[in-house]
Amino acid sequence: MSKEIKNLINIEKNKDYIVKIESYGHEGEGVAKVEGFTIFIAGALKGEVVKVKLIKVNKNYGVGKLLEVIEPSEKRVKPICGTYKRCGGCNLQHYSYEEQLNFKTERVKNVISRIGKLEDVVIHNTLGMENPYNYRNKVQLPVGATGEEILVGFYAPRSHDIINMDKCYIQDEVGDKVIEITKQWMKKFKISSYDEKSHSGIIRHIMVRKGFKTGEIMVVLVTRSEELPHKQEFVDLIKENINGVVSIIQNINKEKTNVILGLQSLTLWGQDHISDYIGEFKFNISPLSFFQVNPVQTEVLYGKALEYAGLTGEETVFDAYCGTGTISLFLSKRAKEVYGVEIIPQAIENAKENARTNGITNAEFIVGKSEEEIPRLIAQGIKADVVVVDPPRKGCEESLLKALSEIKPKRIVYVSCDPATLARDLGVLDGLGYKTLEIQPVDMFPQTAHVECVALIEKK
Ligand SMILES: C[S@@+](CC[C@H](N)C(=O)[O-])C[C@H]1O[C@@H](n2cnc3c(N)ncnc32)[C@H](O)[C@@H]1O
């Protein structure tokens, strides 16, 4: 093999190469070098010798299509799902679960040293799940058609082609059943599926939510129009066949958009929400509410955040990017007071309602940008002893980190869904006098390359 690599002199598109995979890219694709030129190969594992066709050559890197695994890794497993290769829902099913966790830990270590330039941070092994399948409590899939056939499934990677599936291995099994019933109902009553090119047809998406601890189920049909023929028959079929259903909803989305849900929801039958618990706290979940999709690992993540916060009951805590206040509620039981800040007004409404439902009186929720509202709180003389941030993928605004460092909280807990922006922000905090002590990666999304982290940062 090495002889063959040595013999190559040119990097040419559409040519086949035999390469050894040296490491992983951030999407979990294999990375190989040909004469120092980097090639990314989806589907290849570290240590493997593979044959690839070079399908893209950019200035600094190329993309190879995997043709053959010549020497497989012992970490390679047969994907459980029949549509895995075409579907864009998962991309690590060919990894053993142990290797998925190793990949995630290595990815965090790599960005912390390369982007954050931090060398002495303790990075723990990624906390995985006992059963890394059927973990999602929310099914949300587009509906389309080819000819007579109704299609429901994830989009293929980087496209809007629906990969039809009968079974999804990362979602709760009730989703498969609801999809099957909906397809039968659409077929029987000739209900059209949405066509995004012509912006016509009726059924756009199917959404199913399930309370992990309560078992309550919500079924949502997202429609392009208010008109929904034979809705009573749909309601009857769902009630007859789905144990635990408490809510059947029509959500109307008239817009030509990639956003899945519209703002208007009509209750076709039952309640307008389901309930679930995270730890001891009860949450009401409506079609539009944000709620973590992996309930088992959410408790692990929040438990770690609470441990790192090190609260004694005396502290004032800021929870920046608080969403529907889930972390705030966890913190409030062990703190003097909590201020949650979130940009989406509806989420703040949910947060206030969640606090009320759980009898929490020491949490205040504020609508606005964290980088504006937290300096405002500080200007009012409110200072946090501990700060928790849980920003979206793009991370925190530098101005927020600076404002926080000026009030000198003794501890910052950073919950992150993107290790690269986490690393960047930890680097910034280091320059502002805050040392990252440890990071705990948590596997919230098994079978995919996503990794969530909690970091403990202390005043130097
Ligand atoms: C990763 S979610 C965290 C939600 C919450 N902590 C939880 O665990 O459920 C990030 C949240 O930040 C909000 N957000 C985005 N930009 C923001 C900003 N500049 N200021 C405050 N909140 C923001 C988003 O709407 C979203 O709810």
Side-chain angles (χ1 to χ4, degrees), residues 43-82:
L45 291 176
K46 194 157 89 179
E48 290 186 331
V49 176
V50 297
K51 185 175 178 186
V52 299
K53 183 179 283 302
L54 201 54
I55 53 171
K56 202 175 195 180
V57 180
N58 290 335
K59 197 165 156 235
N60 298 322
Y61 70 94
V63 177
K65 183 174 189 295
L66 182 64
L67 299 178
E68 188 189 342
V69 180
I70 298 169
E71 286 174 25
S73 160
E74 59 193 22
K75 309 281 168 55
R76 176 173 286 279
V77 296
K78 189 171 177 317
I80 188 170
C81 175

mmCIF file of all heavy atoms in Angstrom, residues 43-82:
data_model
loop_
_atom_site.group_PDB
_atom_site.id
_atom_site.type_symbol
_atom_site.label_atom_id
_atom_site.label_comp_id
_atom_site.label_asym_id
_atom_site.label_seq_id
_atom_site.Cartn_x
_atom_site.Cartn_y
_atom_site.Cartn_z
ATOM 1 N N GLY A 43 -17.529 7.935 5.513
ATOM 2 C CA GLY A 43 -17.740 6.486 5.588
ATOM 3 C C GLY A 43 -16.478 5.698 5.900
ATOM 4 O O GLY A 43 -16.552 4.488 6.085
ATOM 5 N N ALA A 44 -15.320 6.373 5.973
ATOM 6 C CA ALA A 44 -14.070 5.656 6.256
ATOM 7 C C ALA A 44 -13.652 5.876 7.709
ATOM 8 O O ALA A 44 -13.840 6.962 8.257
ATOM 9 C CB ALA A 44 -12.968 6.139 5.323
ATOM 10 N N LEU A 45 -13.085 4.845 8.325
ATOM 11 C CA LEU A 45 -12.688 4.929 9.734
ATOM 12 C C LEU A 45 -11.170 5.027 9.883
ATOM 13 O O LEU A 45 -10.420 4.502 9.043
ATOM 14 C CB LEU A 45 -13.162 3.679 10.476
ATOM 15 C CG LEU A 45 -14.656 3.516 10.679
ATOM 16 C CD1 LEU A 45 -14.948 2.172 11.335
ATOM 17 C CD2 LEU A 45 -15.204 4.628 11.544
ATOM 18 N N LYS A 46 -10.769 5.634 10.997
ATOM 19 C CA LYS A 46 -9.340 5.786 11.295
ATOM 20 C C LYS A 46 -8.652 4.424 11.273
ATOM 21 O O LYS A 46 -9.189 3.445 11.790
ATOM 22 C CB LYS A 46 -9.187 6.440 12.667
ATOM 23 C CG LYS A 46 -7.800 6.956 12.935
ATOM 24 C CD LYS A 46 -7.825 8.026 13.987
ATOM 25 C CE LYS A 46 -7.698 7.436 15.367
ATOM 26 N NZ LYS A 46 -7.695 8.465 16.403
ATOM 27 N N GLY A 47 -7.492 4.358 10.642
ATOM 28 C CA GLY A 47 -6.714 3.120 10.592
ATOM 29 C C GLY A 47 -7.023 2.273 9.360
ATOM 30 O O GLY A 47 -6.292 1.340 9.045
ATOM 31 N N GLU A 48 -8.110 2.575 8.664
ATOM 32 C CA GLU A 48 -8.491 1.732 7.524
ATOM 33 C C GLU A 48 -7.684 2.070 6.273
ATOM 34 O O GLU A 48 -7.253 3.214 6.073
ATOM 35 C CB GLU A 48 -9.987 1.909 7.207
ATOM 36 C CG GLU A 48 -10.874 1.311 8.271
ATOM 37 C CD GLU A 48 -12.359 1.332 7.937
ATOM 38 O OE1 GLU A 48 -12.799 2.237 7.204
ATOM 39 O OE2 GLU A 48 -13.076 0.462 8.440
ATOM 40 N N VAL A 49 -7.529 1.046 5.430
ATOM 41 C CA VAL A 49 -6.971 1.272 4.094
ATOM 42 C C VAL A 49 -8.149 1.180 3.128
ATOM 43 O O VAL A 49 -8.898 0.196 3.142
ATOM 44 C CB VAL A 49 -5.908 0.204 3.756
ATOM 45 C CG1 VAL A 49 -5.411 0.400 2.335
ATOM 46 C CG2 VAL A 49 -4.760 0.291 4.756
ATOM 47 N N VAL A 50 -8.351 2.241 2.359
ATOM 48 C CA VAL A 50 -9.543 2.292 1.502
ATOM 49 C C VAL A 50 -9.186 2.739 0.082
ATOM 50 O O VAL A 50 -8.175 3.413 -0.143
ATOM 51 C CB VAL A 50 -10.607 3.269 2.082
ATOM 52 C CG1 VAL A 50 -11.118 2.800 3.431
ATOM 53 C CG2 VAL A 50 -10.070 4.691 2.180
ATOM 54 N N LYS A 51 -10.043 2.339 -0.837
ATOM 55 C CA LYS A 51 -9.910 2.825 -2.212
ATOM 56 C C LYS A 51 -10.954 3.921 -2.412
ATOM 57 O O LYS A 51 -12.133 3.725 -2.080
ATOM 58 C CB LYS A 51 -10.162 1.670 -3.171
ATOM 59 C CG LYS A 51 -9.933 2.019 -4.624
ATOM 60 C CD LYS A 51 -10.085 0.757 -5.451
ATOM 61 C CE LYS A 51 -9.917 1.057 -6.910
ATOM 62 N NZ LYS A 51 -10.211 -0.115 -7.727
ATOM 63 N N VAL A 52 -10.531 5.055 -2.919
ATOM 64 C CA VAL A 52 -11.455 6.182 -3.102
ATOM 65 C C VAL A 52 -11.328 6.772 -4.496
ATOM 66 O O VAL A 52 -10.272 6.674 -5.134
ATOM 67 C CB VAL A 52 -11.190 7.328 -2.081
ATOM 68 C CG1 VAL A 52 -11.378 6.851 -0.661
ATOM 69 C CG2 VAL A 52 -9.818 7.943 -2.265
ATOM 70 N N LYS A 53 -12.422 7.389 -4.919
ATOM 71 C CA LYS A 53 -12.355 8.193 -6.151
ATOM 72 C C LYS A 53 -12.355 9.647 -5.718
ATOM 73 O O LYS A 53 -13.195 10.069 -4.918
ATOM 74 C CB LYS A 53 -13.574 7.900 -7.033
ATOM 75 C CG LYS A 53 -13.507 8.653 -8.371
ATOM 76 C CD LYS A 53 -14.699 8.360 -9.269
ATOM 77 C CE LYS A 53 -14.630 7.029 -9.958
ATOM 78 N NZ LYS A 53 -13.470 6.793 -10.807
ATOM 79 N N LEU A 54 -11.409 10.402 -6.229
ATOM 80 C CA LEU A 54 -11.321 11.812 -5.859
ATOM 81 C C LEU A 54 -12.386 12.589 -6.634
ATOM 82 O O LEU A 54 -12.301 12.718 -7.857
ATOM 83 C CB LEU A 54 -9.919 12.326 -6.193
ATOM 84 C CG LEU A 54 -9.460 13.568 -5.473
ATOM 85 C CD1 LEU A 54 -9.581 13.430 -3.969
ATOM 86 C CD2 LEU A 54 -8.019 13.884 -5.843
ATOM 87 N N ILE A 55 -13.434 13.052 -5.946
ATOM 88 C CA ILE A 55 -14.553 13.668 -6.675
ATOM 89 C C ILE A 55 -14.529 15.193 -6.605
ATOM 90 O O ILE A 55 -15.258 15.861 -7.313
ATOM 91 C CB ILE A 55 -15.918 13.140 -6.176
ATOM 92 C CG1 ILE A 55 -16.048 13.298 -4.657
ATOM 93 C CG2 ILE A 55 -16.146 11.702 -6.605
ATOM 94 C CD1 ILE A 55 -17.439 12.999 -4.125
ATOM 95 N N LYS A 56 -13.676 15.735 -5.747
ATOM 96 C CA LYS A 56 -13.603 17.193 -5.641
ATOM 97 C C LYS A 56 -12.163 17.558 -5.301
ATOM 98 O O LYS A 56 -11.572 16.930 -4.410
ATOM 99 C CB LYS A 56 -14.534 17.632 -4.512
ATOM 100 C CG LYS A 56 -14.993 19.043 -4.584
ATOM 101 C CD LYS A 56 -15.993 19.231 -3.465
ATOM 102 C CE LYS A 56 -16.817 20.445 -3.575
ATOM 103 N NZ LYS A 56 -17.749 20.548 -2.462
ATOM 104 N N VAL A 57 -11.623 18.533 -5.999
ATOM 105 C CA VAL A 57 -10.281 18.989 -5.638
ATOM 106 C C VAL A 57 -10.324 20.499 -5.454
ATOM 107 O O VAL A 57 -10.534 21.246 -6.415
ATOM 108 C CB VAL A 57 -9.239 18.618 -6.731
ATOM 109 C CG1 VAL A 57 -7.850 19.096 -6.328
ATOM 110 C CG2 VAL A 57 -9.232 17.123 -6.974
ATOM 111 N N ASN A 58 -10.182 20.936 -4.214
ATOM 112 C CA ASN A 58 -10.110 22.369 -3.927
ATOM 113 C C ASN A 58 -8.656 22.753 -3.747
ATOM 114 O O ASN A 58 -7.769 21.904 -3.859
ATOM 115 C CB ASN A 58 -10.896 22.686 -2.653
ATOM 116 C CG ASN A 58 -12.392 22.533 -2.874
ATOM 117 O OD1 ASN A 58 -12.857 22.650 -3.998
ATOM 118 N ND2 ASN A 58 -13.118 22.243 -1.816
ATOM 119 N N LYS A 59 -8.440 24.032 -3.437
ATOM 120 C CA LYS A 59 -7.052 24.503 -3.300
ATOM 121 C C LYS A 59 -6.322 23.755 -2.168
ATOM 122 O O LYS A 59 -5.192 23.304 -2.335
ATOM 123 C CB LYS A 59 -7.088 26.005 -2.999
ATOM 124 C CG LYS A 59 -5.784 26.692 -3.237
ATOM 125 C CD LYS A 59 -5.975 28.196 -3.272
ATOM 126 C CE LYS A 59 -4.667 28.851 -2.916
ATOM 127 N NZ LYS A 59 -4.786 29.767 -1.808
ATOM 128 N N ASN A 60 -7.012 23.628 -1.030
ATOM 129 C CA ASN A 60 -6.318 23.070 0.140
ATOM 130 C C ASN A 60 -6.696 21.642 0.503
ATOM 131 O O ASN A 60 -6.073 21.053 1.361
ATOM 132 C CB ASN A 60 -6.587 23.946 1.366
ATOM 133 C CG ASN A 60 -6.042 25.332 1.150
ATOM 134 O OD1 ASN A 60 -4.976 25.492 0.564
ATOM 135 N ND2 ASN A 60 -6.784 26.336 1.576
ATOM 136 N N TYR A 61 -7.774 21.154 -0.094
ATOM 137 C CA TYR A 61 -8.181 19.796 0.263
ATOM 138 C C TYR A 61 -9.030 19.185 -0.858
ATOM 139 O O TYR A 61 -9.517 19.893 -1.748
ATOM 140 C CB TYR A 61 -8.980 19.796 1.575
ATOM 141 C CG TYR A 61 -10.350 20.420 1.456
ATOM 142 C CD1 TYR A 61 -11.475 19.622 1.196
ATOM 143 C CD2 TYR A 61 -10.541 21.792 1.580
ATOM 144 C CE1 TYR A 61 -12.729 20.185 1.066
ATOM 145 C CE2 TYR A 61 -11.792 22.364 1.455
ATOM 146 C CZ TYR A 61 -12.885 21.560 1.191
ATOM 147 O OH TYR A 61 -14.124 22.123 1.049
ATOM 148 N N GLY A 62 -9.213 17.875 -0.774
ATOM 149 C CA GLY A 62 -10.057 17.184 -1.737
ATOM 150 C C GLY A 62 -11.109 16.357 -1.020
ATOM 151 O O GLY A 62 -11.047 16.158 0.195
ATOM 152 N N VAL A 63 -12.096 15.880 -1.789
ATOM 153 C CA VAL A 63 -13.120 15.005 -1.231
ATOM 154 C C VAL A 63 -13.093 13.699 -2.016
ATOM 155 O O VAL A 63 -13.125 13.713 -3.255
ATOM 156 C CB VAL A 63 -14.525 15.648 -1.322
ATOM 157 C CG1 VAL A 63 -15.597 14.689 -0.813
ATOM 158 C CG2 VAL A 63 -14.565 16.951 -0.531
ATOM 159 N N GLY A 64 -13.012 12.597 -1.300
ATOM 160 C CA GLY A 64 -12.973 11.287 -1.953
ATOM 161 C C GLY A 64 -14.254 10.522 -1.709
ATOM 162 O O GLY A 64 -14.846 10.613 -0.636
ATOM 163 N N LYS A 65 -14.696 9.786 -2.733
ATOM 164 C CA LYS A 65 -15.874 8.907 -2.549
ATOM 165 C C LYS A 65 -15.349 7.518 -2.239
ATOM 166 O O LYS A 65 -14.486 6.994 -2.963
ATOM 167 C CB LYS A 65 -16.678 8.898 -3.851
ATOM 168 C CG LYS A 65 -17.947 8.096 -3.785
ATOM 169 C CD LYS A 65 -18.714 8.299 -5.105
ATOM 170 C CE LYS A 65 -20.094 7.718 -5.088
ATOM 171 N NZ LYS A 65 -20.227 6.329 -4.974
ATOM 172 N N LEU A 66 -15.859 6.952 -1.146
ATOM 173 C CA LEU A 66 -15.389 5.629 -0.729
ATOM 174 C C LEU A 66 -15.842 4.558 -1.726
ATOM 175 O O LEU A 66 -17.035 4.395 -1.972
ATOM 176 C CB LEU A 66 -15.953 5.327 0.667
ATOM 177 C CG LEU A 66 -15.535 4.013 1.311
ATOM 178 C CD1 LEU A 66 -14.037 3.970 1.570
ATOM 179 C CD2 LEU A 66 -16.300 3.806 2.619
ATOM 180 N N LEU A 67 -14.882 3.849 -2.325
ATOM 181 C CA LEU A 67 -15.236 2.792 -3.281
ATOM 182 C C LEU A 67 -15.153 1.417 -2.634
ATOM 183 O O LEU A 67 -15.967 0.554 -2.879
ATOM 184 C CB LEU A 67 -14.293 2.836 -4.494
ATOM 185 C CG LEU A 67 -14.309 4.127 -5.324
ATOM 186 C CD1 LEU A 67 -13.288 4.030 -6.448
ATOM 187 C CD2 LEU A 67 -15.700 4.383 -5.896
ATOM 188 N N GLU A 68 -14.116 1.240 -1.784
ATOM 189 C CA GLU A 68 -13.908 -0.090 -1.215
ATOM 190 C C GLU A 68 -13.103 0.037 0.076
ATOM 191 O O GLU A 68 -12.144 0.827 0.130
ATOM 192 C CB GLU A 68 -13.112 -0.919 -2.246
ATOM 193 C CG GLU A 68 -12.978 -2.369 -1.879
ATOM 194 C CD GLU A 68 -12.005 -3.096 -2.820
ATOM 195 O OE1 GLU A 68 -11.702 -2.584 -3.924
ATOM 196 O OE2 GLU A 68 -11.534 -4.168 -2.385
ATOM 197 N N VAL A 69 -13.503 -0.737 1.080
ATOM 198 C CA VAL A 69 -12.692 -0.793 2.300
ATOM 199 C C VAL A 69 -11.766 -1.992 2.145
ATOM 200 O O VAL A 69 -12.212 -3.136 2.167
ATOM 201 C CB VAL A 69 -13.575 -0.926 3.558
ATOM 202 C CG1 VAL A 69 -12.708 -0.977 4.813
ATOM 203 C CG2 VAL A 69 -14.576 0.219 3.641
ATOM 204 N N ILE A 70 -10.481 -1.741 1.959
ATOM 205 C CA ILE A 70 -9.544 -2.851 1.689
ATOM 206 C C ILE A 70 -9.109 -3.508 3.004
ATOM 207 O O ILE A 70 -9.103 -4.723 3.124
ATOM 208 C CB ILE A 70 -8.322 -2.318 0.899
ATOM 209 C CG1 ILE A 70 -8.812 -1.769 -0.451
ATOM 210 C CG2 ILE A 70 -7.272 -3.409 0.691
ATOM 211 C CD1 ILE A 70 -7.793 -0.983 -1.218
ATOM 212 N N GLU A 71 -8.759 -2.680 3.988
ATOM 213 C CA GLU A 71 -8.414 -3.215 5.315
ATOM 214 C C GLU A 71 -9.324 -2.541 6.338
ATOM 215 O O GLU A 71 -9.080 -1.403 6.727
ATOM 216 C CB GLU A 71 -6.951 -2.910 5.656
ATOM 217 C CG GLU A 71 -5.972 -3.764 4.894
ATOM 218 C CD GLU A 71 -4.526 -3.320 5.150
ATOM 219 O OE1 GLU A 71 -4.234 -2.721 6.213
ATOM 220 O OE2 GLU A 71 -3.712 -3.546 4.247
ATOM 221 N N PRO A 72 -10.423 -3.226 6.745
ATOM 222 C CA PRO A 72 -11.368 -2.576 7.667
ATOM 223 C C PRO A 72 -10.824 -2.432 9.086
ATOM 224 O O PRO A 72 -10.002 -3.241 9.511
ATOM 225 C CB PRO A 72 -12.585 -3.505 7.652
ATOM 226 C CG PRO A 72 -12.163 -4.757 6.985
ATOM 227 C CD PRO A 72 -10.826 -4.577 6.355
ATOM 228 N N SER A 73 -11.320 -1.420 9.769
ATOM 229 C CA SER A 73 -10.981 -1.227 11.187
ATOM 230 C C SER A 73 -11.816 -2.193 12.020
ATOM 231 O O SER A 73 -12.946 -2.514 11.660
ATOM 232 C CB SER A 73 -11.325 0.208 11.578
ATOM 233 O OG SER A 73 -11.458 0.307 12.961
ATOM 234 N N GLU A 74 -11.248 -2.596 13.162
ATOM 235 C CA GLU A 74 -12.052 -3.451 14.056
ATOM 236 C C GLU A 74 -13.185 -2.652 14.705
ATOM 237 O O GLU A 74 -14.087 -3.215 15.313
ATOM 238 C CB GLU A 74 -11.163 -4.109 15.106
ATOM 239 C CG GLU A 74 -10.439 -3.092 15.950
ATOM 240 C CD GLU A 74 -9.326 -3.704 16.782
ATOM 241 O OE1 GLU A 74 -8.837 -4.799 16.435
ATOM 242 O OE2 GLU A 74 -8.963 -3.040 17.775
ATOM 243 N N LYS A 75 -13.142 -1.327 14.546
ATOM 244 C CA LYS A 75 -14.197 -0.458 15.098
ATOM 245 C C LYS A 75 -15.363 -0.310 14.124
ATOM 246 O O LYS A 75 -16.329 0.377 14.402
ATOM 247 C CB LYS A 75 -13.633 0.936 15.401
ATOM 248 C CG LYS A 75 -12.373 0.957 16.223
ATOM 249 C CD LYS A 75 -12.709 0.742 17.689
ATOM 250 C CE LYS A 75 -11.532 0.453 18.579
ATOM 251 N NZ LYS A 75 -10.466 1.403 18.547
ATOM 252 N N ARG A 76 -15.245 -0.903 12.940
ATOM 253 C CA ARG A 76 -16.331 -0.791 11.951
ATOM 254 C C ARG A 76 -17.447 -1.770 12.309
ATOM 255 O O ARG A 76 -17.190 -2.921 12.637
ATOM 256 C CB ARG A 76 -15.793 -1.099 10.549
ATOM 257 C CG ARG A 76 -16.863 -1.093 9.460
ATOM 258 C CD ARG A 76 -16.260 -1.239 8.089
ATOM 259 N NE ARG A 76 -15.610 -0.017 7.652
ATOM 260 C CZ ARG A 76 -16.251 1.030 7.131
ATOM 261 N NH1 ARG A 76 -17.561 0.994 6.958
ATOM 262 N NH2 ARG A 76 -15.585 2.101 6.758
ATOM 263 N N VAL A 77 -18.690 -1.294 12.249
ATOM 264 C CA VAL A 77 -19.839 -2.182 12.486
ATOM 265 C C VAL A 77 -20.814 -2.031 11.326
ATOM 266 O O VAL A 77 -20.764 -1.044 10.582
ATOM 267 C CB VAL A 77 -20.571 -1.868 13.818
ATOM 268 C CG1 VAL A 77 -19.692 -2.101 15.024
ATOM 269 C CG2 VAL A 77 -21.118 -0.445 13.828
ATOM 270 N N LYS A 78 -21.699 -3.010 11.199
ATOM 271 C CA LYS A 78 -22.695 -2.947 10.131
ATOM 272 C C LYS A 78 -23.805 -1.998 10.587
ATOM 273 O O LYS A 78 -24.392 -2.202 11.654
ATOM 274 C CB LYS A 78 -23.257 -4.352 9.899
ATOM 275 C CG LYS A 78 -24.128 -4.474 8.677
ATOM 276 C CD LYS A 78 -24.420 -5.950 8.455
ATOM 277 C CE LYS A 78 -25.343 -6.254 7.325
ATOM 278 N NZ LYS A 78 -26.488 -5.512 7.111
ATOM 279 N N PRO A 79 -24.101 -0.950 9.802
ATOM 280 C CA PRO A 79 -25.168 -0.032 10.217
ATOM 281 C C PRO A 79 -26.489 -0.768 10.385
ATOM 282 O O PRO A 79 -26.825 -1.634 9.579
ATOM 283 C CB PRO A 79 -25.248 0.970 9.064
ATOM 284 C CG PRO A 79 -23.929 0.867 8.385
ATOM 285 C CD PRO A 79 -23.464 -0.541 8.553
ATOM 286 N N ILE A 80 -27.197 -0.404 11.437
ATOM 287 C CA ILE A 80 -28.445 -1.084 11.779
ATOM 288 C C ILE A 80 -29.569 -0.699 10.799
ATOM 289 O O ILE A 80 -30.502 -1.456 10.575
ATOM 290 C CB ILE A 80 -28.783 -0.735 13.253
ATOM 291 C CG1 ILE A 80 -29.945 -1.507 13.813
ATOM 292 C CG2 ILE A 80 -29.013 0.709 13.454
ATOM 293 C CD1 ILE A 80 -30.079 -1.319 15.337
ATOM 294 N N CYS A 81 -29.433 0.479 10.186
ATOM 295 C CA CYS A 81 -30.537 1.029 9.389
ATOM 296 C C CYS A 81 -30.317 0.786 7.883
ATOM 297 O O CYS A 81 -29.223 1.052 7.366
ATOM 298 C CB CYS A 81 -30.623 2.528 9.658
ATOM 299 S SG CYS A 81 -31.826 3.362 8.648
ATOM 300 N N GLY A 82 -31.376 0.356 7.205
ATOM 301 C CA GLY A 82 -31.279 0.050 5.774
ATOM 302 C C GLY A 82 -31.114 1.284 4.900
ATOM 303 O O GLY A 82 -30.594 1.185 3.785
#
